[in-house]
Amino acid sequence: MAVKDRDRFSTATRIRLIGEQTAARVYRSQTKRQARRSRLTGRAALLALVVCSLIVALAYPMRQYVSQRAEIADLQQEQEEARERVEQLRDLKARWQDDAYAEQEIRRRLHYVMPGETGYIVVDPGTATKSRTDLGAADRPWYSNVWDGVDKADAADQ
């Protein structure tokens, strides 16, 4: 019996026993995985197919719904801006109904004066000389004049 006890506690015996236990666990886990894989039945596949077809069928209407909601929001914003513009125009119309405001604007915009008043218009001397420099433009072709006008407009922005 001493030999049996000694074999039971030897390192080789323990390693062999651990290997057998590990192999048994691996075998059990593989059989469980195979059992899990076999649970995918025709019903589950049909259910997955129905769910996928519902998703595909609802994708286009949902996209339309979202785009229409965005369009409605844009139109409401435009409507609000139009209301504000109408309110501004009503205020302007009410101001023009006042004779004092109308007289003030006529004087400012049209340079009208009341009888007995003297009106003055100040002319910038620099603008008068600029227009006189273009007198030679009649001697050139028309497209040169157009191009010079574009260049002058571009230089004015800078």
Side-chain angles (χ1 to χ4, degrees), residues 1-13:
M1 274 228 206
V3 175
K4 252 187 181 179
D5 289 337
R6 192 174 46 160
D7 283 344
R8 192 172 71 174
F9 295 113
S10 72
T11 305
T13 307

Side-chain angles (χ1 to χ4, degrees), residues 31-155:
T31 56
K32 287 180 182 177
R33 284 185 199 151
Q34 290 173 355
R36 284 186 206 142
R37 288 182 191 158
S38 65
R39 288 184 187 168
L40 181 62
T41 61
R43 286 187 214 168
L46 182 64
L47 179 65
L49 181 66
V50 168
V51 168
C52 288
S53 63
L54 283 175
I55 289 172
V56 168
L58 292 177
Y60 183 73
M62 285 302 295
R63 187 180 67 142
Q64 288 294 325
Y65 174 75
V66 169
S67 67
Q68 287 175 0
R69 294 302 296 173
E71 186 176 348
I72 288 171
D74 291 342
L75 290 174
Q76 287 175 344
Q77 179 67 26
E78 287 179 19
Q79 183 182 19
E80 185 63 32
E81 290 172 1
R83 282 186 184 143
E84 290 174 5
R85 179 71 178 137
V86 166
E87 190 63 33
Q88 290 173 354
L89 291 174
R90 283 185 182 153
D91 290 344
L92 183 62
K93 181 182 175 185
R95 273 191 260 143
W96 276 100
Q97 296 296 327
D98 184 22
D99 291 336
Y101 179 78
E103 182 181 335
Q104 176 187 1
E105 287 297 310
I106 289 170
R107 284 174 172 256
R108 186 178 64 84
R109 292 183 184 186
L110 302 176
H111 305 288
Y112 279 18
V113 292
M114 295 298 284
E117 294 179 350
T118 305
Y120 294 100
I121 297 177
V122 178
V123 179
D124 185 18
T127 58
T129 58
K130 286 181 186 175
S131 63
R132 289 188 186 137
T133 58
D134 291 335
L135 292 177
D139 299 334
R140 296 184 300 178
W142 65 271
Y143 50 85
S144 296
N145 294 336
V146 171
W147 191 251
D148 287 343
V150 170
D151 286 339
K152 288 178 184 177
D154 188 37

